[in-house]
Amino acid sequence: MQNNMKKLKELGHEIHRLEQISALLGWDQETYIPKGAVNDRAEQQSVIQGILHSKITNPELGKVLKDLGADLNSLNVNGNYSDADRALIKNTARIYSKNVKLPKSLVEREAKETSIAQAKWVEARKKSDFSLFSPHLDLILQLQREKADLLGYEDERYDALLDDYEPWMKTKEIVEVFSKFQGKLKSFIDRIVSSKTSIDDSFLYKGYDNEKQKAFGVEILNSMGYSFTRGRLDVSAHPFTTTIGYDDIRITTRYNKNNFKTGIFGIIHEGGHGLYELGFSEEIRGTILAEGTSMGIHESQSRLWENVIGRSKPFWKAFFPKLKAFFPEPLNGVSPDQFYRAVNIVKPSLIRVEADEVTYSMHIIIRFNLERKLLNGELSVDMLPDAWNREYGEYLGIEPENDAEGVLQDIHWSGGMIGYFPTYALGNLYAAQIYDTLKKEVKDLDSELEEGNLKVVLDWLRKHIHRYGSIYNASELCKKVTGETLNPDYFMNYLESKYKQVYDL
Amino acid sequence: MQNNMKKLKELGHEIHRLEQISALLGWDQETYIPKGAVNDRAEQQSVIQGILHSKITNPELGKVLKDLGADLNSLNVNGNYSDADRALIKNTARIYSKNVKLPKSLVEREAKETSIAQAKWVEARKKSDFSLFSPHLDLILQLQREKADLLGYEDERYDALLDDYEPWMKTKEIVEVFSKFQGKLKSFIDRIVSSKTSIDDSFLYKGYDNEKQKAFGVEILNSMGYSFTRGRLDVSAHPFTTTIGYDDIRITTRYNKNNFKTGIFGIIHEGGHGLYELGFSEEIRGTILAEGTSMGIHESQSRLWENVIGRSKPFWKAFFPKLKAFFPEPLNGVSPDQFYRAVNIVKPSLIRVEADEVTYSMHIIIRFNLERKLLNGELSVDMLPDAWNREYGEYLGIEPENDAEGVLQDIHWSGGMIGYFPTYALGNLYAAQIYDTLKKEVKDLDSELEEGNLKVVLDWLRKHIHRYGSIYNASELCKKVTGETLNPDYFMNYLESKYKQVYDL
C-alpha cells in the first residue's frame, strides 16, 4: 500500500511538473515571445501535451489506482485514508479515467478544429459577421457532444463538460442556483438603473501613467501578502495568473493610462488568484492536490479581493491617500467617497469583461443558458445571435447593434470551452458567501482594512481555504467554511447592502 | 527508405523540440524567474532531461538508423544520400550511439556530483581556498574518465569528452594547432608588453547609462541584421545566446555603467552567435541539423563579429559618431582613433573573461594543457594550483596571488565540462581564417564597414556558413569555406597586422 502511494505520488508529480512546463510555455507566449515564434510554440505545446497524455493514461497509473482501492467508474475510493490521501487517489482516478476514455484521434481533431475555429472567430469578430463563424461553432458543438458521450454523464451532456472546470458539480445544481438568482438580480439591476443618483467617474479616465500604476499595484500586492520571491508581475494583452512551479506563481495585467480601473483592478484580481496558489500547505506540495479545487472557487478568491475587498470603502480609506500621492493631478479635488462611488458605478453594458460587479453575473447566466441549450440541441447555431440579443434585451435592457459587441465577443466557444462560463458567476457567489463567514470571524475587519492591514484577510483565507488545495471539492469546502452549500442569497444580500449605500436606494 | 527517412525526421524533430523547451526553461532561469523557484526549475529540467534521454535512446531510433545504412560503431553511413540527408543520419547516429553507451546510473551520478561540486566551487572561490573544492574535482575527473571509457576513444580519453563540444575533432589535432601557435603568441604578447606606446582608455569607465547602452546596442544589432521579430535582447548575469525555437533565438547581455565594454561587446558577441542560429536554410529547418556544427565554429561567429568586425577601425568610423550622440559627456574630446585604440588595449591579466583579443587564447591553451593532463593522470589535482600559477607566470608573465583569481575562476570543471575550453580559442582561430576569405571575396569590405553597412558581412556568412547548420562538420566547413583546414597562422597574421598599428610596433 505504501509503495503504491509512493508510486502514485511519483507519477502524479511528473505529470504536475509537465503541466508547469506547459504553463511556462504559455506564460512566455503571452509576455515575452518574439512575434515570429508562434508556430514554434504551438509545436512545443503539442509535444508536451502528447507526452502529458501518455503519462496521464499510463496503464501503470491505472493499476496503482485500482490497487489503492479506486473504482475507476464510480471514482469511489475504498480504504482507510487521510482526507489528503483519499483526495489524491480520487482526483488522480478522475483525471486518469477521463483521459483514457478519449481516443487520441478525438483529441487531435479537437485541437485542429478549435485552432481553425479560433482563427475564424477572430476574423468574424473583426468583420462583425457571425455567419463566418457559425459553421465552425456547429462543428465544435458536434465534437463536444461526441466528447461528452465518450466521457459519460448522468443527467445531461453538459455535466460531462462542466466537470473540466467545476469538478464534481452537476448542471442541475447550477440551474437551481441561477434560476433562483436571475430574477432577483434583474430586479436589483432595475432598481439601480432607475435610481436618481448619478455618479461622476470622469476622473478615472485620464492621466494615469502606466509605470506609476505598476508601482501602486506592487504596493497593494505587497499589502495583500503576494510574494515577489515566489512570483512576478508582468504585462499581457489579457490579465492572467499561472502556476509555473510550487514557488513560481506569476500574474499579469494590462495598463491603460486613460482608464484607471483596467490595470489596478486587474492586479488585485490576479493577485487574489495568485495568493490561492501560493497558499497550499506543505502536506500537498508536489502533488496534484496543489491546485485550486475548482475554477469557481479560484474565481471566488480573485473576486473576493478585487470586488469585495478592493472596491470596499475601508480599503480605499487606507489606499486612497497613497493613490493620490501617485496621481495628484487626475485626483485633484476628488474625495475618498467620490472615488469609492466611482469605482463602483453600475451600468448595464454589452461587453462582459467591462461589466461592473452587479451586472457581471447576468452576462454569465445568459451565456450559461444559451450554451446549455446549444449543446442539448434546443437551440440551433443559426438562431443563436437572435437568442443572444433577446436575452440581453430582456435581462439587461440593452441590445447589441452588431455581432461583434454581441455573440462574437468571447473567445471561449471557439476554443471548445463549453462549461467554462458559469464558473465566473459561481466565483461571485462563493466569494460573497465566504466573505460573510470571514466578516464574522475576523475581529474588527473593517477597522483592519481601514488601516491597510490586508494581511488579516489573507491569514483567514489561508487557514480556511488556501492550504487545502484540492483536498476538498468545491461543495465540501464551501460547507466546511461557511456551514452550508452554495447559496446565492449571500451574494444578493452583499449587493443590496453595498449598493443601497452607493446609490442611495 | 523514404518511410525511414520520414520516421528519422519525426523522431529527431520531437527531440529537437524538447531541447528547445529545455532552452526556454534555462533562459527563464537566467532572466525572469522568481528567486524562490530555483528548485522547481531544477526538477522541471530533470523531468525534461529524463524524457529526452528516453527519446534519444529509443530502440526504434536505433533500428531506423540501421535500416538507413548507419553503422552505429564507426558512424559511417552507407547509401546514396544528399549531403544533408547523410549528415542527418550520421549526426543522429552519433547522438544515439553515445547516449546508449551511458547507463542511467552514471548520468544521474554525474548530475548529482556536479551539482554538489558547483556549490562547493562557489564556496571555495568565495573563500579563495582550493582545498575545499579539490576532493570534488577529483571525483568529477574520476567520473569523466569512467564516462570516456564507456564512450570509447582512439588515442586518449580526452577525445571522448571533446566530442561533446567539438564533434568529430581529435585531441591530437588541437595539440598540433596549439603547440605550433602558443610560442608565436607568447612572443607577440611580449612585443606588445614591451612596446612604448601607452593607450589611455580611462574614458571607457564612467558615465554610460544602461538604458542608453541598450538603445545603442539595439541599433548595432539592427545593422548586423539581427531580427527582433525572431529574437529578443534581455539582461542576465552572464551573457548568452539560446535557441528556443527555429524562429526564436534570444540573446542576453549585462550592463555596467562604469564599463562601456561589458554591455556593448557582449551584445555584438551574442549577436554573432544569434545570427548563426537565425541563418539556417529552409532545407534543414525542423531537423537536428539546424544547429551550429561545433562550439568552435559557433564561437568563430561571435568572435568574428565582436573582435574582427566590432573592434575594427572601419566599424568605429561608422558607429563612433552615433555612440557620441548617445554619450556626449564621457566621450567629450575623444577622437575615433583614440576610441579605437582604447577598445583594443592589450594587457596580460589573470581573469579569462576580462582578457583582450590577444591574450585571451593564451588563457585557453593553459587550461587545455592542464585539463588534458588532469584527465590523463599526468597531473594530480593537488598539484593543479601550482601548475596553474607556473603556466601563468611563464606564458603571461603574471601570477595569481590567490586561488580565486587563479585556478578557481571558471565554473566549467565543477560542472564536469572537460573539453569545453579549447573551443573558445578554436573560435578565434576559425574567425581569423574565415575573415581572411571573407575579405578577399567581399568587394571593398572596409569601405562598406565605414558606411555602417554590416549587411555585407552577414550576407557572406549566411551564404558560406550559416545556412549549412550541421550539414558539414567543422573541419569540412573550414575547408569548404577557406580552402584549407584549420591553420593558426591566419590568426597570428591578423593579430600582427592589427596590433602593429595599434601599438606602433
Side-chain angles (χ1 to χ4, degrees), chain A residues 13 28 43-44 244 247, chain B residues 13 28 40 43-44 244 250:
Chain A
H13 184 69
D28 183 72
E43 285 197 27
Q44 288 155 358
I244 296 173
D247 294 308
Chain B
H13 183 68
D28 183 71
D40 282 311
E43 286 197 27
Q44 288 154 359
I244 297 173
R250 307 187 191 181

Side-chain angles (χ1 to χ4, degrees), chain A residues 13-14 17-18 20-21 24-25 27-28 31-37 39-41 43-45 47-48 51 55 228-232 234 244-250 285, chain B residues 13-14 17-18 20-21 24-25 27-28 31-37 39-41 43-45 47-48 51 55 228-232 234 244-250 285:
Chain A
H13 184 69
E14 199 179 16
R17 287 299 187 198
L18 286 163
Q20 293 173 348
I21 291 167
L24 177 67
L25 292 167
W27 174 84
D28 183 72
T31 52
Y32 296 116
I33 201 172
K35 269 205 193 80
N39 285 337
D40 282 311
R41 190 49 44 87
E43 285 197 27
Q44 288 155 358
Q45 281 286 23
V47 168
I48 290 289
I51 293 169
K55 300 270 178 198
F228 285 96
T229 308
R230 299 172 63 205
R232 290 185 52 84
D234 293 276
I244 296 173
Y246 301 116
D247 294 308
D248 192 351
I249 319 292
R250 308 187 190 180
R285 191 183 167 93
Chain B
H13 183 68
E14 198 180 17
R17 287 299 187 196
L18 285 164
Q20 293 173 348
I21 290 166
L24 177 67
L25 292 168
W27 173 84
D28 183 71
T31 51
Y32 295 116
I33 201 173
K35 269 204 194 83
N39 285 338
D40 282 311
R41 190 49 46 86
E43 286 197 27
Q44 288 154 359
Q45 281 287 21
V47 167
I48 289 289
I51 293 168
K55 301 268 177 200
F228 285 94
T229 309
R230 299 172 63 206
R232 292 184 51 84
D234 293 276
I244 297 173
Y246 302 115
D247 294 308
D248 191 353
I249 320 292
R250 307 187 191 181
R285 190 184 167 90

Side-chain angles (χ1 to χ4, degrees), chain A residues 232-331:
Chain A
R232 290 185 52 84
L233 168 62
D234 293 276
V235 170
S236 64
H238 301 279
F240 66 96
T241 300
T242 185
T243 295
I244 296 173
Y246 301 116
D247 294 308
D248 192 351
I249 319 292
R250 308 187 190 180
I251 64 176
T252 71
T253 193
R254 53 185 166 182
Y255 303 101
N256 178 347
K257 70 180 191 322
N258 295 323
N259 187 343
F260 170 78
K261 293 194 286 184
T262 310
I264 295 300
F265 289 107
I267 286 176
I268 304 176
H269 181 99
E270 301 306 330
H273 281 303
L275 288 175
Y276 189 11
E277 296 278 319
L278 284 164
F280 303 136
S281 72
E282 274 303 312
E283 183 189 11
I284 58 172
R285 191 183 167 93
T287 75
I288 65 157
L289 295 177
E291 280 181 1
T293 194
S294 81
M295 290 192 60
I297 294 293
H298 230 305
E299 199 71 10
S300 80
Q301 298 307 295
S302 56
R303 285 172 189 263
L304 192 149
W305 281 104
E306 179 196 350
N307 293 331
V308 183
I309 304 293
R311 292 183 203 258
S312 73
K313 219 166 183 173
F315 177 90
W316 285 109
K317 177 145 189 200
F319 284 94
F320 188 70
K322 296 174 205 271
L323 179 67
K324 214 160 173 173
F326 275 106
F327 301 106
E329 284 275 326
L331 295 175

Side-chain angles (χ1 to χ4, degrees), chain B residues 309-404:
Chain B
I309 304 294
R311 292 182 204 258
S312 73
K313 220 168 179 166
F315 177 90
W316 285 109
K317 178 146 189 196
F319 285 93
F320 188 70
K322 295 174 206 272
L323 179 66
K324 216 163 171 170
F326 275 105
F327 301 106
E329 284 274 326
L331 296 173
N332 187 21
V334 176
S335 74
D337 188 63
Q338 279 177 299
F339 185 82
Y340 165 68
R341 284 176 188 241
V343 297
N344 283 297
I345 213 163
V346 174
K347 199 175 169 193
S349 65
L350 293 168
I351 304 297
R352 174 183 63 88
V353 296
E354 291 164 10
D356 56 78
E357 182 184 19
V358 179
T359 58
Y360 187 92
S361 301
M362 193 59 89
H363 292 264
I364 297 306
I365 299 173
I366 292 171
R367 283 160 180 72
F368 167 71
N369 290 334
L370 291 173
E371 70 177 12
R372 186 170 165 239
K373 282 184 188 162
L374 283 171
L375 193 74
N376 291 345
E378 284 176 61
L379 176 67
S380 74
V381 167
D382 288 348
M383 302 301 291
L384 176 61
D386 281 350
W388 179 287
N389 297 350
R390 212 166 41 241
E391 294 280 312
Y392 266 77
E394 182 170 346
Y395 288 102
L396 285 163
I398 44 174
E399 279 196 39
E401 303 230 325
N402 56 55
D403 295 339

Side-chain angles (χ1 to χ4, degrees), chain B residues 236-269:
Chain B
S236 65
H238 301 279
F240 66 96
T241 301
T242 186
T243 295
I244 297 173
Y246 302 115
D247 294 308
D248 191 353
I249 320 292
R250 307 187 191 181
I251 65 177
T252 71
T253 194
R254 54 184 165 182
Y255 303 100
N256 177 347
K257 70 182 192 318
N258 295 322
N259 187 341
F260 170 78
K261 293 195 286 185
T262 310
I264 295 301
F265 289 107
I267 285 175
I268 303 176
H269 181 99

